[in-house]
Amino acid sequence: MKKVMMTILMMVLVFDLAIGQEVKNVIVMIGDGMGVSQVYAGLTANKGSLHLERCQYVGFAKTYSASDYITDSGAGGTAIACGVKTKNGTIGMDTSGNSIPSLLAIASKNGQSTGVVVSCDLTHATPASFIAHQPNRNMTEEIANDYANSDVTVCIGGGRNNFEQRKDGRNITAEMKSKGYQVAYSMDEVAKVKSGKLLGLVAEKHPAAFPERGNMLPDAVSAALDILKNNEKGFFLMVEGSQIDWGGHAKNQEQVINEMLDFDRTIKVAFDFAEKNPNTLVVITADHETGGLSIVGGNLETGEVKASFSTGGHTSVMVPVYSYGTGAKEFAGIYQNTDIKPKILQLYGSKK
Ligand SMILES: [Zn+2]
């Protein structure tokens, strides 16, 4: 009898351990154009520390696309979202033009809640890669149409004009409203939504740069998590710090640092959620580096940074992958950006 009881006890323990290892919620965070130098510029400006340092494992991803040694955000986003190398400029399709289901689409099919939160137009390349399938990233109206067909639970970003002020006269916001979406045009309106589906279009085009847009990005992630956590099957959320890249293109050091630190405050929101909610995995990476940034001087006491840009475009260097929470150790090592999708699907386990 005692032996039987022990066996049952052991089985319960093993079962509990297995449950503890299961990944239910995944938050993928993409710093557009965020290489190691952008991270260190932010760390220096912040006088020696970042929330990002709470990460548990670090890896590196190779970012080249199917067509180019240096990727754009379309192919880079598609590699992370869909797990395929494709041609620069392509959204959610392989090189033959086949639509490939994204992590978000698969999570949605499995009954999980899903979200996209960005500090750019929702139809921009990175968020589009998780929602849309279009041969060209500039097909913004078609990408907005794909939102209406995506079944995404929560999306918050800019781009209202691509949903409502269109050449074809369609009003995608109205169409999504008729499908049950609550619509919010400001962060105050976003904050009022606690459940159900939400389309948050908080700017006509791109939201302003930081600090003009305030705490839009961290607040939007908090709001999204409040809604997404209601699903007992878990969720998939993609967050983009979209404008780090734009600082690189502009060779504007202050812009890179402002956007990097805004993204870091957003990372804190995700880490705090994962800390309170076991079975949550946070993966933070970039689609590519922008600006060929190097740091040629600085002061950790004053926060002074002396940065030098070697290009106004993207570069080919590997990008860091920082991970936190359940399953985080799977993201150590050097691998392809297309390996991130299968790693996450494997961690989601039986719900595939
Ligand atoms: Zn760029």
Side-chain angles (χ1 to χ4, degrees), residues 16-234:
D16 272 350
L17 273 174
I19 292 288
Q21 295 303 308
E22 191 189 352
V23 174
K24 210 173 89 174
N25 311 313
V26 176
I27 306 172
V28 168
M29 307 183 75
I30 300 176
D32 198 308
M34 184 189 75
V36 173
S37 293
Q38 283 76 2
V39 171
Y40 205 70
L43 181 147
T44 304
N46 204 40
K47 301 181 180 176
S49 71
L50 287 177
H51 298 296
L52 179 58
E53 291 174 78
R54 283 164 64 192
C55 79
Q56 295 161 324
Y57 293 89
V58 181
F60 278 96
K62 296 181 262 189
T63 66
Y64 60 83
S65 72
S67 61
D68 290 84
Y69 181 61
I70 298 177
T71 190
D72 82 313
S73 292
T78 298
I80 298 166
C82 305
V84 293
K85 297 265 185 193
T86 193
K87 290 178 273 190
N88 279 14
T90 305
I91 301 295
M93 291 176 152
D94 66 15
T95 51
S96 312
N98 302 306
S99 296
I100 308 295
S102 72
L103 278 165
L104 188 147
I106 293 168
S108 180
K109 212 176 101 197
N110 289 331
Q112 294 175 294
S113 292
T114 57
V116 168
V117 176
V118 296
S119 52
C120 64
D121 181 329
L122 280 170
T123 67
H124 212 236
T126 308
S129 300
F130 287 81
I131 295 284
H133 308 283
Q134 297 296 341
N136 192 310
R137 59 183 288 175
N138 298 323
M139 298 167 71
T140 49
E141 291 194 359
E142 289 81 358
I143 291 167
N145 300 348
D146 286 347
Y147 270 89
N149 298 324
S150 71
D151 206 36
V152 60
T153 314
V154 179
C155 32
I156 307 170
R160 185 175 169 182
N161 286 355
N162 285 322
F163 285 71
E164 299 175 12
Q165 306 291 322
R166 299 159 52 96
K167 287 186 223 93
D168 66 3
R170 272 173 76 177
N171 184 326
I172 303 300
T173 305
E175 290 178 23
M176 289 178 74
K177 218 172 196 171
S178 73
K179 287 184 177 175
Y181 281 85
Q182 302 158 88
V183 176
Y185 289 132
S186 68
M187 284 306 297
D188 285 341
E189 289 176 26
V190 163
K192 287 183 196 135
V193 180
K194 299 292 176 200
S195 62
K197 289 183 155 190
L198 169 63
L199 172 62
L201 294 165
V202 302
E204 287 181 356
K205 295 175 180 170
H206 295 300
F210 189 86
E212 286 75 25
R213 68 170 180 272
N215 288 327
M216 179 246 147
L217 191 62
D219 288 352
V221 171
S222 294
L225 289 171
D226 272 350
I227 298 169
L228 297 174
K229 72 181 182 197
N230 296 326
N231 188 334
E232 59 182 27
K233 288 183 176 168

